[in-house]
């Protein structure tokens, strides 16, 4: 099975592109102790999501993350823990421009070293992107890279959400700007290596101290008029505390769109699996029903974050353990918590799993162990019924509980056996 | 028991103040079918949260909500369903300024009618606030009202998050603005009735068609320089789909800061209640332990959103039913879903509630019925243990599960009996 996880379609970029991610912010605007880029989302720092968004782009060669000196060790640990590739960390300067400049210079050095070995070129284009904008897509990076190659500089813009006003020194309204003529300057921005390198060579100490806008330096010191490209709203910068909640919600939603239902080849499980599939569809979750994860179906191990094991009238802890083993082998839980839900269909006369306490304790133990490896295991028990209305209500509840568990990904509820 | 729910301290405002809430937006930027102001947050539309934020301010006399004609019926239903006071809906115009103008004129009419009856004045100050900024606080409304009374006009500002740039007609960078000199103009804004009334009388058709900034009209047509006041980040406008998640998260967090633990006067329940209190404190949730909701403690019915009933070695469905009855009498679930968690401590040798299926079915039935009345009922079972380490782990799990249930407020999980 090849890795197909979220690889967007490849685009032709026949020149070398590198990325600088300034990540030196102190996060004062979130009102939190931890700088935003290091805030955890389901156990992983925001910066790792941004790196992931950039490193999965095949035509990007190198990524330099610029962090404050005191965060170098932390950053190195993050790169190692989440097995990021083509990334290295360099220490930042005292201002945003000094940090970006350090990143650009580091790209040059890196490439010089390589040159001796591989006679590779310096990057033709450097993309600068914020560490706290994790939802950038390949498509937009491509547009910025191409425009930068052609024009020398390019930057993302967004419409202004609020009217911008000029204030008097006494705190009164001076005038308001005509909204249509102005835009918010966002990230990513792209430059040919020569333009961004020269801009930083030529700019003044004062530019380094108080400036923030790279496009402005390119214009002032290289005469390069940047091409402005309107980006999607997902380019937004995680700035305030509320943005952390918004980011978490987007990440969780992305992980919750689909699931894979495994019947274990049991003929009795198939009708239940199909019914759950239908009910989940009405809740905007797309389910694929498969007998097992073998053969061609092992691709689900590499692209799916949620698994539902259906079992009828028997314990299936062994099946669950087998999925756990497969998922660990595929190393899928490294970047996101995975969810496994065991749906157990019991006959009314059967000694149910909930009453068989040793079985329940074993399930809880397996779940606790899996939780340590970033896999969230839950159980749902549904009772067979010949009353159609009652049965349909039960199936709907299975779907609702499944959807809630997958969307919320709550570690506090692992090992629970819920009743549908 | 008097109603003490979230009433901020009263401030002295010795002139009449009214509020206009323009709510005519079409919500195109969220990418959703429903306009943002009507999107549901735990069953209640956003506009109702904004109305609540304004109507609880004692010194605000009247609120006029301006909605598109096609939403008049919906808005009237919302006002009725959530029992909003001092609010009426009026139909909007074809642009933002026409809508706000309609709201201002409606205030005048209303007051004229009153004048005949009560010889009351027109509002001295009119505050204009967006329907999609639900987190405005009394303190800031007060600042705006006082500055408007004094200066004629006042408006909220925020620092710019992004650099603002001017673009050429060909889509290139023209120049970037010096960030320090500019601010984002936000809401609320306040005006004396005379200034906003005259501004709309004097302004042109073109102002009505393309303008958006009321402060600009006050300056241009009444020569009134608005006082600008920096507001908190919570003033932000729910604009994009991600903002819906951020708003929901803020609302849920506000509801999840505290809970009330009821021991039912049982001596055995008190140590467990105290242990849960301590563990929850470490999870940033403040618990008050009380024997019941009678006498002085009935105040919790009016200020608390979360209740934890602790019971030892016996069914306590009757206690839960009694809390349900009290909460319904206090009508607290009208604006927010309330949570009740039954924590059942059982001896190892006891026939536990989870194995006594009829009891569990009865619990599920009570929970389903409560859910229809916006009260979320969950159960947690914890087993007595003489092994200290094991017991402490169990108590910690009770606190973790409690915290997760209260924070997530998931209707899909009501009636479940979870194992700690
Ligand atoms: Mg910039
Ligand atoms: Mg305005």
């Amino acid at each position: 099975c090849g890795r197909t996880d979220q690889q967007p379609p490849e685009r032709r970029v026949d020149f070398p592109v590198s990325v600088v991610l300034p990540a030196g912010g102190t996060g004062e605007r979130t009102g939190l102790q931890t700088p935003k880029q290091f805030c955890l989302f389901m156990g992983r720092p925001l910066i790792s999501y941004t790196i992931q968004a950039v490193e999965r782009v095949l035509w990007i060669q190198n990524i330099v993350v610029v962090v404050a000196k005191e965060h170098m060790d932390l950053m190195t640990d993050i790169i190692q823990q989440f097995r990021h590739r083509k990334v290295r960390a360099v220490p930042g300067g005292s201002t945003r421009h000094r940090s970006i400049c350090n990143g650009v210079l580091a790209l040059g050095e890196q490439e010089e070293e390589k040159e001796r070995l591989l006679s590779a070129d310096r990057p033709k284009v450097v993309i600068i992107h914020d560490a706290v904008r994790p939802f950038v897509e390949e498509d937009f990076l491509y547009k910025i890279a191409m425009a930068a190659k052609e024009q020398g500089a390019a930057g993302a813009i967004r419409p202004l959400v609020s009217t911008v006003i000029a204030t008097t020194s006494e705190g009164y309204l001076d005038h308001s700007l005509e909204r249509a003529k102005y835009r918010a300057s966002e990230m990513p921005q792209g430059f040919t290596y020569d333009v961004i390198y020269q801009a930083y060579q030529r700019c003044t100490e004062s530019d380094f101290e108080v400036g923030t806008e790279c496009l402005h330096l390119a214009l002032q010191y290289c005469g390069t008029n940047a091409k402005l490209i309107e980006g999607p709203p997902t380019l937004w910068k995680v700035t305030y505390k509320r943005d952390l909640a918004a980011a978490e919600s987007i990440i969780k939603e992305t992980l919750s769109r689909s699931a894979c239902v495994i019947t274990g080849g049991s003929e009795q499980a198939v009708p239940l699996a199909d019914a759950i599939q239908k009910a989940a569809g009405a809740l905007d979750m797309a389910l694929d029903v498969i007998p097992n994860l073998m053969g061609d179906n092992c691709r689900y191990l590499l692209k799916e974050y949620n698994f539902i094991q259906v079992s009828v009238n028997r314990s299936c802890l062994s099946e669950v353990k087998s999925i756990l083993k497969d998922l660990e082998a595929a190393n899928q839980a490294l970047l996101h918590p995975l969810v496994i839900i065991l749906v157990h269909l019991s006959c009314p006369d059967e000694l149910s799993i909930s009453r068989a306490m040793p079985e329940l304790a074993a399930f809880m133990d397996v779940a606790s162990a899996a939780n340590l490896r970033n896999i969230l295991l839950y159980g749902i028990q549904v009772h067979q019924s010949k009353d159609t209305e009652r049965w349909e209500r039960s199936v709907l509840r299975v779907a609702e509980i499944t959807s809630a568990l997958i969307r919320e990904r709550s570690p506090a509820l692992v090992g629970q056996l819920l009743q549908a």
Side-chain angles (χ1 to χ4, degrees), chain A residues 240-264:
Chain A
Y240 299 105
K241 200 178 160 202
R242 65 172 187 267
D243 293 320
L244 300 175
E248 176 160 298
S249 156
I250 293 171
I251 294 168
K252 284 187 171 176
E253 201 197 296
T254 308
L255 298 179
S256 307
R257 289 183 192 143
S258 67
C260 173
V261 187
I262 303 162
T263 60

PDB file of all heavy atoms in Angstrom, chain A residues 240-264:
ATOM      1  N   TYR A 240      -5.954  35.506  18.245  1.00  0.00           N
ATOM      2  CA  TYR A 240      -6.591  35.642  19.552  1.00  0.00           C
ATOM      3  C   TYR A 240      -6.954  34.269  20.109  1.00  0.00           C
ATOM      4  O   TYR A 240      -6.939  33.273  19.389  1.00  0.00           O
ATOM      5  CB  TYR A 240      -7.844  36.514  19.434  1.00  0.00           C
ATOM      6  CG  TYR A 240      -7.518  37.891  18.951  1.00  0.00           C
ATOM      7  CD1 TYR A 240      -7.791  38.284  17.645  1.00  0.00           C
ATOM      8  CD2 TYR A 240      -6.905  38.799  19.802  1.00  0.00           C
ATOM      9  CE1 TYR A 240      -7.464  39.556  17.192  1.00  0.00           C
ATOM     10  CE2 TYR A 240      -6.574  40.078  19.358  1.00  0.00           C
ATOM     11  CZ  TYR A 240      -6.854  40.445  18.056  1.00  0.00           C
ATOM     12  OH  TYR A 240      -6.520  41.687  17.626  1.00  0.00           O
ATOM     13  N   LYS A 241      -7.330  34.285  21.392  1.00  0.00           N
ATOM     14  CA  LYS A 241      -7.714  33.038  22.037  1.00  0.00           C
ATOM     15  C   LYS A 241      -8.848  32.348  21.265  1.00  0.00           C
ATOM     16  O   LYS A 241      -8.854  31.135  21.106  1.00  0.00           O
ATOM     17  CB  LYS A 241      -8.136  33.327  23.485  1.00  0.00           C
ATOM     18  CG  LYS A 241      -8.092  32.111  24.367  1.00  0.00           C
ATOM     19  CD  LYS A 241      -8.474  32.444  25.798  1.00  0.00           C
ATOM     20  CE  LYS A 241      -8.889  31.168  26.506  1.00  0.00           C
ATOM     21  NZ  LYS A 241      -9.756  31.461  27.673  1.00  0.00           N
ATOM     22  N   ARG A 242      -9.797  33.134  20.783  1.00  0.00           N
ATOM     23  CA  ARG A 242     -10.916  32.541  20.046  1.00  0.00           C
ATOM     24  C   ARG A 242     -10.447  31.797  18.792  1.00  0.00           C
ATOM     25  O   ARG A 242     -11.082  30.851  18.339  1.00  0.00           O
ATOM     26  CB  ARG A 242     -11.938  33.607  19.652  1.00  0.00           C
ATOM     27  CG  ARG A 242     -11.413  34.638  18.678  1.00  0.00           C
ATOM     28  CD  ARG A 242     -12.504  35.562  18.146  1.00  0.00           C
ATOM     29  NE  ARG A 242     -12.015  36.422  17.097  1.00  0.00           N
ATOM     30  CZ  ARG A 242     -11.543  37.646  17.284  1.00  0.00           C
ATOM     31  NH1 ARG A 242     -11.501  38.155  18.495  1.00  0.00           N
ATOM     32  NH2 ARG A 242     -11.114  38.361  16.267  1.00  0.00           N
ATOM     33  N   ASP A 243      -9.311  32.251  18.219  1.00  0.00           N
ATOM     34  CA  ASP A 243      -8.793  31.603  17.011  1.00  0.00           C
ATOM     35  C   ASP A 243      -8.298  30.188  17.303  1.00  0.00           C
ATOM     36  O   ASP A 243      -8.283  29.336  16.415  1.00  0.00           O
ATOM     37  CB  ASP A 243      -7.650  32.426  16.412  1.00  0.00           C
ATOM     38  CG  ASP A 243      -8.133  33.760  15.876  1.00  0.00           C
ATOM     39  OD1 ASP A 243      -9.220  33.796  15.264  1.00  0.00           O
ATOM     40  OD2 ASP A 243      -7.428  34.765  16.071  1.00  0.00           O
ATOM     41  N   LEU A 244      -7.875  29.953  18.539  1.00  0.00           N
ATOM     42  CA  LEU A 244      -7.449  28.598  18.901  1.00  0.00           C
ATOM     43  C   LEU A 244      -8.642  27.647  18.806  1.00  0.00           C
ATOM     44  O   LEU A 244      -8.537  26.539  18.272  1.00  0.00           O
ATOM     45  CB  LEU A 244      -6.854  28.580  20.314  1.00  0.00           C
ATOM     46  CG  LEU A 244      -5.629  29.474  20.551  1.00  0.00           C
ATOM     47  CD1 LEU A 244      -5.220  29.440  22.025  1.00  0.00           C
ATOM     48  CD2 LEU A 244      -4.455  29.047  19.681  1.00  0.00           C
ATOM     49  N   ALA A 245      -9.797  28.091  19.316  1.00  0.00           N
ATOM     50  CA  ALA A 245     -11.007  27.267  19.229  1.00  0.00           C
ATOM     51  C   ALA A 245     -11.411  27.056  17.778  1.00  0.00           C
ATOM     52  O   ALA A 245     -11.801  25.948  17.376  1.00  0.00           O
ATOM     53  CB  ALA A 245     -12.146  27.915  20.007  1.00  0.00           C
ATOM     54  N   ALA A 246     -11.315  28.115  16.975  1.00  0.00           N
ATOM     55  CA  ALA A 246     -11.681  28.001  15.563  1.00  0.00           C
ATOM     56  C   ALA A 246     -10.763  27.003  14.852  1.00  0.00           C
ATOM     57  O   ALA A 246     -11.213  26.153  14.087  1.00  0.00           O
ATOM     58  CB  ALA A 246     -11.619  29.363  14.888  1.00  0.00           C
ATOM     59  N   ALA A 247      -9.465  27.086  15.141  1.00  0.00           N
ATOM     60  CA  ALA A 247      -8.501  26.180  14.505  1.00  0.00           C
ATOM     61  C   ALA A 247      -8.773  24.736  14.919  1.00  0.00           C
ATOM     62  O   ALA A 247      -8.786  23.832  14.075  1.00  0.00           O
ATOM     63  CB  ALA A 247      -7.070  26.585  14.883  1.00  0.00           C
ATOM     64  N   GLU A 248      -9.005  24.526  16.204  1.00  0.00           N
ATOM     65  CA  GLU A 248      -9.284  23.161  16.656  1.00  0.00           C
ATOM     66  C   GLU A 248     -10.523  22.604  15.975  1.00  0.00           C
ATOM     67  O   GLU A 248     -10.562  21.443  15.557  1.00  0.00           O
ATOM     68  CB  GLU A 248      -9.458  23.114  18.179  1.00  0.00           C
ATOM     69  CG  GLU A 248      -9.846  21.726  18.650  1.00  0.00           C
ATOM     70  CD  GLU A 248      -9.577  21.476  20.113  1.00  0.00           C
ATOM     71  OE1 GLU A 248      -8.406  21.538  20.505  1.00  0.00           O
ATOM     72  OE2 GLU A 248     -10.535  21.231  20.862  1.00  0.00           O
ATOM     73  N   SER A 249     -11.534  23.452  15.858  1.00  0.00           N
ATOM     74  CA  SER A 249     -12.770  23.015  15.214  1.00  0.00           C
ATOM     75  C   SER A 249     -12.533  22.635  13.750  1.00  0.00           C
ATOM     76  O   SER A 249     -13.067  21.634  13.262  1.00  0.00           O
ATOM     77  CB  SER A 249     -13.802  24.129  15.350  1.00  0.00           C
ATOM     78  OG  SER A 249     -14.764  24.034  14.352  1.00  0.00           O
ATOM     79  N   ILE A 250     -11.710  23.405  13.039  1.00  0.00           N
ATOM     80  CA  ILE A 250     -11.420  23.082  11.633  1.00  0.00           C
ATOM     81  C   ILE A 250     -10.653  21.757  11.542  1.00  0.00           C
ATOM     82  O   ILE A 250     -10.953  20.905  10.717  1.00  0.00           O
ATOM     83  CB  ILE A 250     -10.617  24.217  10.962  1.00  0.00           C
ATOM     84  CG1 ILE A 250     -11.488  25.471  10.850  1.00  0.00           C
ATOM     85  CG2 ILE A 250     -10.117  23.791   9.578  1.00  0.00           C
ATOM     86  CD1 ILE A 250     -10.723  26.714  10.408  1.00  0.00           C
ATOM     87  N   ILE A 251      -9.664  21.587  12.423  1.00  0.00           N
ATOM     88  CA  ILE A 251      -8.879  20.348  12.400  1.00  0.00           C
ATOM     89  C   ILE A 251      -9.793  19.149  12.688  1.00  0.00           C
ATOM     90  O   ILE A 251      -9.773  18.142  11.976  1.00  0.00           O
ATOM     91  CB  ILE A 251      -7.738  20.407  13.441  1.00  0.00           C
ATOM     92  CG1 ILE A 251      -6.724  21.485  13.046  1.00  0.00           C
ATOM     93  CG2 ILE A 251      -7.041  19.050  13.547  1.00  0.00           C
ATOM     94  CD1 ILE A 251      -5.719  21.828  14.152  1.00  0.00           C
ATOM     95  N   LYS A 252     -10.629  19.271  13.714  1.00  0.00           N
ATOM     96  CA  LYS A 252     -11.517  18.165  14.060  1.00  0.00           C
ATOM     97  C   LYS A 252     -12.517  17.874  12.948  1.00  0.00           C
ATOM     98  O   LYS A 252     -12.832  16.720  12.663  1.00  0.00           O
ATOM     99  CB  LYS A 252     -12.253  18.479  15.372  1.00  0.00           C
ATOM    100  CG  LYS A 252     -11.377  18.309  16.608  1.00  0.00           C
ATOM    101  CD  LYS A 252     -12.177  18.458  17.891  1.00  0.00           C
ATOM    102  CE  LYS A 252     -11.321  18.065  19.092  1.00  0.00           C
ATOM    103  NZ  LYS A 252     -12.045  18.282  20.366  1.00  0.00           N
ATOM    104  N   GLU A 253     -13.029  18.930  12.324  1.00  0.00           N
ATOM    105  CA  GLU A 253     -13.989  18.709  11.243  1.00  0.00           C
ATOM    106  C   GLU A 253     -13.339  17.956  10.089  1.00  0.00           C
ATOM    107  O   GLU A 253     -13.945  17.054   9.504  1.00  0.00           O
ATOM    108  CB  GLU A 253     -14.550  20.046  10.757  1.00  0.00           C
ATOM    109  CG  GLU A 253     -15.874  19.884  10.022  1.00  0.00           C
ATOM    110  CD  GLU A 253     -16.225  21.098   9.189  1.00  0.00           C
ATOM    111  OE1 GLU A 253     -16.428  22.172   9.766  1.00  0.00           O
ATOM    112  OE2 GLU A 253     -16.295  20.946   7.942  1.00  0.00           O
ATOM    113  N   THR A 254     -12.098  18.321   9.775  1.00  0.00           N
ATOM    114  CA  THR A 254     -11.384  17.648   8.694  1.00  0.00           C
ATOM    115  C   THR A 254     -11.234  16.154   8.980  1.00  0.00           C
ATOM    116  O   THR A 254     -11.280  15.327   8.074  1.00  0.00           O
ATOM    117  CB  THR A 254      -9.978  18.281   8.527  1.00  0.00           C
ATOM    118  OG1 THR A 254     -10.144  19.684   8.398  1.00  0.00           O
ATOM    119  CG2 THR A 254      -9.266  17.735   7.312  1.00  0.00           C
ATOM    120  N   LEU A 255     -11.067  15.816  10.267  1.00  0.00           N
ATOM    121  CA  LEU A 255     -10.862  14.413  10.640  1.00  0.00           C
ATOM    122  C   LEU A 255     -12.170  13.641  10.741  1.00  0.00           C
ATOM    123  O   LEU A 255     -12.159  12.426  10.951  1.00  0.00           O
ATOM    124  CB  LEU A 255     -10.141  14.341  11.992  1.00  0.00           C
ATOM    125  CG  LEU A 255      -8.749  14.943  12.084  1.00  0.00           C
ATOM    126  CD1 LEU A 255      -8.208  14.809  13.500  1.00  0.00           C
ATOM    127  CD2 LEU A 255      -7.809  14.268  11.090  1.00  0.00           C
ATOM    128  N   SER A 256     -13.300  14.334  10.628  1.00  0.00           N
ATOM    129  CA  SER A 256     -14.586  13.712  10.967  1.00  0.00           C
ATOM    130  C   SER A 256     -15.519  13.524   9.793  1.00  0.00           C
ATOM    131  O   SER A 256     -16.688  13.233   9.973  1.00  0.00           O
ATOM    132  CB  SER A 256     -15.304  14.570  12.020  1.00  0.00           C
ATOM    133  OG  SER A 256     -14.470  14.818  13.116  1.00  0.00           O
ATOM    134  N   ARG A 257     -15.018  13.707   8.605  1.00  0.00           N
ATOM    135  CA  ARG A 257     -15.919  13.662   7.454  1.00  0.00           C
ATOM    136  C   ARG A 257     -16.271  12.257   7.031  1.00  0.00           C
ATOM    137  O   ARG A 257     -17.275  12.030   6.376  1.00  0.00           O
ATOM    138  CB  ARG A 257     -15.279  14.402   6.274  1.00  0.00           C
ATOM    139  CG  ARG A 257     -15.267  15.884   6.515  1.00  0.00           C
ATOM    140  CD  ARG A 257     -14.706  16.634   5.333  1.00  0.00           C
ATOM    141  NE  ARG A 257     -14.447  18.014   5.732  1.00  0.00           N
ATOM    142  CZ  ARG A 257     -13.417  18.732   5.311  1.00  0.00           C
ATOM    143  NH1 ARG A 257     -12.540  18.199   4.471  1.00  0.00           N
ATOM    144  NH2 ARG A 257     -13.256  19.962   5.714  1.00  0.00           N
ATOM    145  N   SER A 258     -15.407  11.288   7.366  1.00  0.00           N
ATOM    146  CA  SER A 258     -15.657   9.939   6.881  1.00  0.00           C
ATOM    147  C   SER A 258     -15.206   8.917   7.904  1.00  0.00           C
ATOM    148  O   SER A 258     -14.499   9.234   8.858  1.00  0.00           O
ATOM    149  CB  SER A 258     -14.894   9.706   5.562  1.00  0.00           C
ATOM    150  OG  SER A 258     -13.506   9.710   5.823  1.00  0.00           O
ATOM    151  N   ALA A 259     -15.669   7.697   7.712  1.00  0.00           N
ATOM    152  CA  ALA A 259     -15.217   6.592   8.549  1.00  0.00           C
ATOM    153  C   ALA A 259     -15.348   5.312   7.748  1.00  0.00           C
ATOM    154  O   ALA A 259     -15.996   5.277   6.702  1.00  0.00           O
ATOM    155  CB  ALA A 259     -16.032   6.512   9.837  1.00  0.00           C
ATOM    156  N   CYS A 260     -14.727   4.283   8.274  1.00  0.00           N
ATOM    157  CA  CYS A 260     -14.668   3.007   7.581  1.00  0.00           C
ATOM    158  C   CYS A 260     -15.350   1.974   8.498  1.00  0.00           C
ATOM    159  O   CYS A 260     -14.967   1.845   9.662  1.00  0.00           O
ATOM    160  CB  CYS A 260     -13.188   2.720   7.391  1.00  0.00           C
ATOM    161  SG  CYS A 260     -12.803   1.152   6.745  1.00  0.00           S
ATOM    162  N   VAL A 261     -16.378   1.321   7.995  1.00  0.00           N
ATOM    163  CA  VAL A 261     -17.100   0.337   8.805  1.00  0.00           C
ATOM    164  C   VAL A 261     -16.621  -1.068   8.432  1.00  0.00           C
ATOM    165  O   VAL A 261     -16.672  -1.449   7.258  1.00  0.00           O
ATOM    166  CB  VAL A 261     -18.626   0.417   8.579  1.00  0.00           C
ATOM    167  CG1 VAL A 261     -19.361  -0.495   9.559  1.00  0.00           C
ATOM    168  CG2 VAL A 261     -19.107   1.843   8.711  1.00  0.00           C
ATOM    169  N   ILE A 262     -16.191  -1.837   9.420  1.00  0.00           N
ATOM    170  CA  ILE A 262     -15.628  -3.158   9.173  1.00  0.00           C
ATOM    171  C   ILE A 262     -16.595  -4.207   9.718  1.00  0.00           C
ATOM    172  O   ILE A 262     -16.940  -4.194  10.903  1.00  0.00           O
ATOM    173  CB  ILE A 262     -14.255  -3.289   9.852  1.00  0.00           C
ATOM    174  CG1 ILE A 262     -13.329  -2.182   9.339  1.00  0.00           C
ATOM    175  CG2 ILE A 262     -13.648  -4.665   9.608  1.00  0.00           C
ATOM    176  CD1 ILE A 262     -12.125  -1.929  10.227  1.00  0.00           C
ATOM    177  N   THR A 263     -17.033  -5.086   8.842  1.00  0.00           N
ATOM    178  CA  THR A 263     -18.041  -6.076   9.252  1.00  0.00           C
ATOM    179  C   THR A 263     -17.421  -7.379   9.733  1.00  0.00           C
ATOM    180  O   THR A 263     -18.129  -8.238  10.268  1.00  0.00           O
ATOM    181  CB  THR A 263     -18.976  -6.406   8.080  1.00  0.00           C
ATOM    182  OG1 THR A 263     -18.178  -6.943   7.013  1.00  0.00           O
ATOM    183  CG2 THR A 263     -19.722  -5.174   7.601  1.00  0.00           C
ATOM    184  N   GLY A 264     -16.121  -7.544   9.518  1.00  0.00           N
ATOM    185  CA  GLY A 264     -15.466  -8.785   9.914  1.00  0.00           C
ATOM    186  C   GLY A 264     -15.939  -9.979   9.103  1.00  0.00           C
ATOM    187  O   GLY A 264     -15.779 -11.125   9.518  1.00  0.00           O
TER     188      GLY A 264
END
